[in-house]
Amino acid sequence: MPFLFEKKEHNKDAHKYIEITGFEGTAGDLVVPAQIEGLPVEVIGNHSFSGRQDLKSVTLPETIKTLYGFAFHNCRNLKKISLFDSIDDYYDGVCRQCDSLSEIDITINRSWFEVIRNFLADNDRTLHFTVRVSQGSADYVTSSLTFPEYVYDFNENTMARTIQFSIAGSGMFYRECVDRRSINYREYDKLFEKAKIDGGSISEDIAVGRLLYPVELDDRYRLMYEEYVAGSGLSILKRYIEGAKDDPASAVNMIRELLRYSGEKELISRGAIDEAISCSVELGLTEVTAILMESGSGAGSEKSVAMRFEF
């Protein structure tokens, strides 16, 4: 067993459990077991994985109840964490200075959203959440939410002998949409005008996520997102095509879902699809090219026909 751990006894009910304290060998895509030596794994200890540059992703079981301070601190290549809403105690700095962390995949089985708030408070960078909320039995409702980054800007007024600060970026406002028991989707959608000021991939990801996973999405906001994505279709496709070099499965899925979308507006124009095909062919992405060509097969343009023949 490559995990380093300690057997502990709970000070309230005296039940025994495991606290993870480290890992021997190369971590890579780390999957923490639910049990070790017949005892539930409930705690990730202080600095257990701090500074591990080999750590790329972490999957935690539903038995985990406590993430102690700086558990994954300074893991600069850590990109994704998957876990449940079983976390009762989240201590300071769990994912601090994890510069590559961008994806949090969380399953909500007990209507406890506090762990989302904790991650957002611990990290001021842009974070993408896939949130699966239990509806009873085996049913789940999935939402895809992007929380933009923000920065504190400090300015010293020497004449007044004061420090003035401001918040740049829409991320702080978006973080206020999550409380312990729920996500306020209406407030989240209202903030899109602020996100558009941040611009680029952030606003694109917010819009795409809400359209493809429209949990509690009001029609007026759906139309707003559709209009935005329709105007940024080529930019969005090009980003997914570039991403396919590192994560082909995810990119292919996102492109396929975008092209299948059915709404008031056509999200991706024929012209955007044709240009995306050219980019995909140039990069040698066979599966992506096939999906794009299939979608654009009804376009009737000479360019589209030529590209299919060349492929």
Side-chain angles (χ1 to χ4, degrees), residues 255-274:
I255 292 171
R256 181 182 285 116
E257 292 302 314
L258 266 180
L259 297 177
R260 285 177 177 174
Y261 180 83
S262 167
E264 295 292 326
K265 281 183 172 291
E266 181 183 52
L267 291 187
I268 310 296
S269 69
R270 298 300 183 184
I273 292 174
D274 284 342

Side-chain angles (χ1 to χ4, degrees), residues 2-3 22 77 112 115 127-128 164 168 187 211 215 237 267 299 308:
F3 285 95
N77 293 309
W112 188 242
V115 67
L127 292 175
H128 306 281
Q164 299 174 331
E187 289 300 317
L211 289 175
V215 177
L237 283 182
L267 291 187
R308 288 198 299 276

Side-chain angles (χ1 to χ4, degrees), residues 262-311:
S262 167
E264 295 292 326
K265 281 183 172 291
E266 181 183 52
L267 291 187
I268 310 296
S269 69
R270 298 300 183 184
I273 292 174
D274 284 342
E275 290 198 47
I277 290 173
S278 297
C279 294
S280 183
V281 169
E282 185 176 339
L283 293 173
L285 300 172
T286 306
E287 187 175 2
V288 173
T289 303
I291 292 170
L292 291 167
M293 293 174 80
E294 180 182 353
S295 175
S297 62
S301 69
E302 292 182 3
K303 180 178 178 181
S304 184
V305 172
M307 286 303 303
R308 288 198 299 276
F309 180 78
E310 182 180 341
F311 176 72

Side-chain angles (χ1 to χ4, degrees), residues 165-203:
F165 73 93
S166 60
I167 298 174
S170 60
M172 181 61 76
F173 302 102
Y174 270 91
R175 280 158 171 76
E176 293 175 355
C177 296
V178 184
D179 62 30
R180 290 185 171 186
R181 289 294 182 182
S182 65
I183 296 173
N184 191 329
Y185 291 99
R186 184 67 60 87
E187 289 300 317
Y188 181 95
D189 294 329
K190 282 182 180 179
L191 290 169
F192 191 61
E193 291 301 321
K194 293 183 180 295
K196 287 197 292 186
I197 297 174
D198 295 341
S201 61
I202 293 174
S203 48

Side-chain angles (χ1 to χ4, degrees), residues 218-252:
D218 186 271
D219 281 345
R220 58 176 169 162
Y221 294 120
R222 176 176 56 81
L223 292 172
M224 172 188 70
Y225 288 132
E226 286 180 351
E227 182 176 349
Y228 185 81
V229 172
S232 307
L234 180 57
S235 170
I236 293 170
L237 283 182
K238 282 186 173 180
R239 281 204 302 117
Y240 290 145
I241 289 169
E242 284 292 323
K245 292 184 292 185
D246 298 321
D247 188 358
S250 177
V252 165

Side-chain angles (χ1 to χ4, degrees), residues 80-135:
K80 181 177 181 179
I81 297 177
S82 301
L83 74 167
F84 294 80
D85 65 340
S86 56
I87 309 298
D88 291 323
D89 296 301
Y90 183 111
Y91 286 78
D92 185 53
V94 167
C95 60
R96 195 79 50 81
Q97 294 183 348
C98 292
D99 296 340
S100 298
L101 183 63
S102 60
E103 296 180 56
I104 308 291
D105 189 308
I106 181 167
T107 300
I108 306 291
N109 282 333
R110 55 176 189 149
S111 299
W112 188 242
F113 292 80
E114 177 74 5
V115 67
I116 297 179
R117 283 168 50 91
N118 290 329
F119 273 107
L120 290 171
D122 209 19
N123 195 309
D124 57 9
R125 295 175 177 272
T126 298
L127 292 175
H128 306 281
F129 281 81
T130 299
V131 184
R132 298 179 183 84
V133 181
S134 173
Q135 301 297 296

